[in-house]
Amino acid sequence: QVQLVESGGGLVQAGGSLRLSCIASGRTFSSYQMGWFRQAPGKEREFVAGIGWTRGITYYNSVKGRFTISRDNAKNTVYLQMNSLKPEDTAVYYCAAATIGHDYNYWGQGTQVTVSS
């Protein structure tokens, strides 16, 4: 069982920055594929960014160049640095983990990010 706890959400003006953190339980964190997803009101959850155990990284097109995902395996933590935030980035952001052989199968409780115009 893997538990994920996000933090770092909040209210920020357009153009501002936030850094989300997600701490994971488990002794094999370094083997997990980690990702960030988001869900805006009335919309489906969408992929934002992912980082693999080999540190291969992928981003959703609309956040490329603005968001950076990273991980610190010594701290069992994955980060999402969000710069140049836009009102359309407003959503609940979820951290997710994919253990070996699975799609994302563990989820955090989510953290709210609100970007005002």
Side-chain angles (χ1 to χ4, degrees), residues 24-106:
S25 65
R27 292 182 289 179
T28 57
F29 173 80
S30 61
S31 70
Y32 304 159
Q33 168 82 22
M34 297 299 298
W36 288 96
F37 292 74
R38 67 187 181 187
Q39 187 167 20
K43 295 188 177 181
E44 294 188 353
R45 185 171 60 196
E46 64 182 14
F47 172 80
V48 175
I51 183 167
W53 66 276
T54 58
R55 300 185 185 273
I57 292 174
T58 55
Y59 294 103
Y60 184 54
N61 281 341
S62 70
V63 308
K64 283 182 180 178
R66 301 189 297 122
F67 291 9
T68 302
I69 189 171
S70 62
R71 66 190 299 162
D72 185 339
N73 290 335
K75 296 182 178 180
N76 277 22
T77 301
V78 62
Y79 304 98
L80 186 68
Q81 177 67 44
M82 305 185 295
N83 299 328
S84 302
L85 282 160
K86 305 175 181 180
E88 51 263 43
D89 295 317
T90 295
V92 177
Y93 283 71
Y94 297 91
C95 174
T99 53
I100 294 175
H102 295 84
D103 291 331
Y104 289 103
N105 52 342
Y106 293 98

